[in-house]
Amino acid sequence: MQEKVDAILEEIKRSTASSSQELEEYRLKFISKKSIIGELFNEMKSIPNDQKKAFGMKLNELKQSAQARFKELIDSVNNHQADTPADHVDLTLPPAGNEPGSIHPLSYMRYKIIEIFERIGFNVADGPEIEDDWHNFTALNFPENHPAREMQDTFFIERDPDILLRTHTSNVQIRLMENQKPPVRSIMPGRVFRNEAISARAHCVFHQVEGLYVDKNVSFIDLKHTLYHFAKEMFGKDTKVRYRPSYFPFTEPSAEIDISCQICGGKGCQLCKYTGWVEIAGSGMVDPNVLANCGIDPQEYTGFAFGMGIERITQLKFRVNDLRLYTENDVRFLKQFRTLH
Ligand code: DAH
């Protein structure tokens, strides 16, 4: 019996603990009622009376040693944990706070533009940003040597055959008409790319929304009133709209759409270059060649198309005068749009 007690004592001395789990293991083994020491106390019954006293004293000594060691182990585990970084946290500091994000102004304007056109029967279509020459240029009636195909405007990924980053969302018009019989009535928001030096007024990545309506008997008056409606919904009913004759390879006739300057109300300022008008979109009647390129009979169908820059609309709406702000992710800029939803 004596040997058994000595062996347990030895084991207690050698015990270590570096976590609360190991402490608990120690407690179960040496301290709890069912521990090996607890078991020895149960054996008291079978000890002859004359040895009971001596054995009892031994057991009490053993029990005390076990408890003393347990205390030491508890202290060592606590000290050990105090060295971990979690214990250096200053609990008196105010909490770091959980700042909510906000919608990006360009996303907000994209939603608004979509909302206005969806209410008058347009659906939303999507197309690829990496495009071939056919969908970005040729099918859109760009002449062979048109300057817009040249290196200074277009990011080419491969040459002959050309694969490029689309320079406008007009590529989606072609993809829609190739795959869908009229009526087609869609708007197509997306990113576009041009090889421009980044400045306050130009960027190599920006966003457009394309619009297309092809059906029987679509006329210029439909185009005029659709964009007239858009301008009033977006900028308010007092906004004036004018159509200026223009040229695009894929529309005939073509028109640029101006609205009365949102900054000066038409009186003349730096933004409108003292004309009182600012351009918001290009538009026109889909050129018969473009319809034919997509397998649509130009004798039977007509259509109108338009394209506008989302950055431009956002600039007019929120007076953002430097295009670089949209992509710099400066929270001081982004925070200003917190109340939008
Ligand atoms: N694709 C033209 C651009 O990027 C914008 C445009 C003009 C789109 C007239 C059209 C349109 O659909 O009819 O400058």
Side-chain angles (χ1 to χ4, degrees):
M1 190 57 76
Q2 181 64 38
E3 280 162 22
K4 208 170 177 181
V5 171
D6 286 343
I8 295 173
L9 209 52
E10 191 55 32
E11 213 182 323
I12 287 171
K13 273 193 217 150
R14 277 191 279 109
S15 303
T16 56
S18 57
S19 66
S20 44
Q21 195 191 336
E22 287 176 2
L23 278 180
E24 176 64 1
E25 280 163 16
Y26 178 95
R27 191 189 68 81
L28 290 172
K29 191 163 178 191
F30 299 110
I31 312 277
S32 73
K33 283 221 167 71
K34 288 183 179 162
S35 68
I36 41 178
I37 299 176
E39 297 286 309
L40 287 179
F41 273 101
N42 289 339
E43 283 177 29
M44 281 285 272
K45 288 181 244 112
S46 54
I47 301 286
N49 274 348
D50 58 336
Q51 292 172 26
K52 261 201 169 91
K53 192 176 172 197
F55 186 68
M57 278 166 68
K58 263 258 161 294
L59 279 191
N60 274 331
E61 267 174 38
L62 183 63
K63 188 178 165 184
Q64 277 161 14
S65 305
Q67 281 174 342
R69 181 72 186 143
F70 191 42
K71 264 201 171 139
E72 284 174 22
L73 293 177
I74 290 174
D75 285 348
S76 88
V77 167
N78 284 346
N79 287 340
H80 180 74
Q81 284 179 346
D83 287 341
T84 61
D87 283 288
H88 296 304
V89 170
D90 183 350
L91 294 174
T92 63
L93 284 174
N98 210 353
E99 286 210 47
S102 55
I103 191 166
H104 193 282
L106 292 177
S107 303
Y108 174 80
M109 290 314 290
R110 187 181 66 230
Y111 292 138
K112 284 285 151 196
I113 296 167
I114 289 173
E115 210 172 84
I116 292 171
F117 283 105
E118 274 186 341
R119 280 205 299 270
I120 53 171
F122 284 74
N123 60 18
V124 177
D126 201 7
E129 292 177 348
I130 297 174
E131 195 48 287
D132 52 31
D133 175 273
W134 170 257
H135 292 93
N136 196 78
F137 292 129
T138 304
L140 285 158
N141 206 30
F142 276 80
E144 189 75 35
N145 295 313
H146 195 282
R149 292 171 180 240
E150 281 314 301
M151 286 297 274
Q152 73 263 25
D153 287 319
T154 309
F155 286 117
F156 289 96
I157 295 173
E158 280 170 30
R159 301 304 307 248
D160 294 326
D162 291 346
I163 302 292
L164 43 93
L165 294 178
R166 66 174 174 196
T167 56
H168 50 186
T169 42
S170 305
N171 66 324
V172 193
Q173 283 190 33
I174 302 300
R175 291 191 172 269
L176 271 184
M177 288 190 283
E178 280 176 342
N179 294 316
Q180 192 185 326
K181 278 181 155 251
V184 178
R185 191 158 52 197
S186 300
I187 50 162
M188 303 145 245
R191 271 197 306 190
V192 302
F193 307 86
R194 286 187 203 170
N195 195 355
E196 303 251 15
I198 296 171
S199 72
R201 316 187 99 246
H203 209 292
C204 55
V205 184
F206 54 101
H207 299 77
Q208 291 186 333
V209 177
E210 192 83 10
L212 178 69
Y213 179 25
V214 180
D215 202 352
K216 287 180 178 153
N217 301 321
V218 175
S219 74
F220 200 87
I221 206 79
D222 297 311
L223 163 63
K224 256 182 103 169
H225 277 277
T226 302
L227 287 162
Y228 189 71
H229 173 77
F230 168 76
K232 302 252 168 184
E233 286 287 302
M234 178 58 83
F235 297 105
K237 60 179 177 6
D238 294 332
T239 308
K240 293 196 184 72
V241 184
R242 76 175 184 185
Y243 294 81
R244 249 182 318 109
S246 187
Y247 171 78
F248 300 102
F250 36 90
T251 44
E252 183 58 37
S254 306
E256 266 162 326
I257 298 153
D258 296 344
I259 59 167
S260 44
C261 180
Q262 298 297 298
I263 308 291
C264 63
K267 286 192 205 82
C269 68
Q270 224 175 350
L271 180 85
C272 62
K273 300 196 191 89
Y274 300 95
T275 62
W277 296 95
V278 287
E279 184 197 323
I280 60 160
S283 69
M285 300 305 293
V286 181
D287 192 291
N289 287 342
V290 175
L291 294 174
N293 284 340
C294 301
I296 292 174
D297 182 359
Q299 303 296 332
E300 196 179 351
Y301 293 104
T302 51
F304 72 73
F306 59 87
M308 63 180 93
I310 304 183
E311 279 80 355
R312 178 69 165 165
I313 307 285
T314 312
Q315 177 192 31
L316 295 175
K317 195 80 183 165
F318 296 126
R319 313 195 174 181
V320 179
N321 281 326
D322 190 328
L323 278 173
R324 292 168 294 195
L325 287 166
Y326 293 125
T327 45
E328 274 170 354
N329 281 341
D330 186 330
V331 286
R332 292 168 302 177
F333 172 71
L334 297 170
K335 266 183 185 174
Q336 298 174 98
F337 301 96
R338 262 203 191 141
T339 53
L340 301 180
H341 48 262

